[in-house]
Amino acid sequence: MANQIFMRVNEVAEELGISIPFAYRLIRQMNEELAKTGCITIAGRIDRKFFHEKFYGTRSETERKEK
């Protein structure tokens, strides 16, 4: 799934080790932040690069694995 642009709620929950309802809450918060910058968002999905930047301080999952 790492080659897809968006992460779905199940993938966010699994990666962070949290419940699906809490993952929905986090995605909603991140999507609100993106919407303020003028980005179009999709409910229940989050941009993969933004997610990794927000949680790991990296631009992409690939960069994180190379270190």
Side-chain angles (χ1 to χ4, degrees):
M1 283 193 183
N3 59 353
Q4 295 179 354
I5 294 173
F6 294 102
M7 294 175 73
R8 295 176 184 255
V9 68
N10 292 343
E11 190 175 356
V12 170
E14 184 179 321
E15 183 152 340
L16 297 177
I18 58 175
S19 68
I20 288 179
F22 189 63
Y24 271 117
R25 189 178 315 157
L26 290 176
I27 289 173
R28 192 175 316 114
Q29 289 174 354
M30 289 185 284
N31 278 338
E32 287 173 3
E33 187 176 335
L34 283 171
K36 288 179 184 176
T37 67
C39 293
I40 297 172
T41 62
I42 301 171
R45 297 183 187 178
I46 188 68
D47 178 78
R48 186 175 300 279
K49 288 182 181 181
F50 183 75
F51 173 83
H52 283 101
E53 181 179 324
K54 204 71 172 153
F55 281 92
Y56 302 115
T58 60
R59 278 282 187 207
S60 70
E61 189 174 18
T62 306
E63 290 175 11
R64 181 172 52 96
K65 288 183 178 179
E66 288 176 356
K67 292 181 180 182

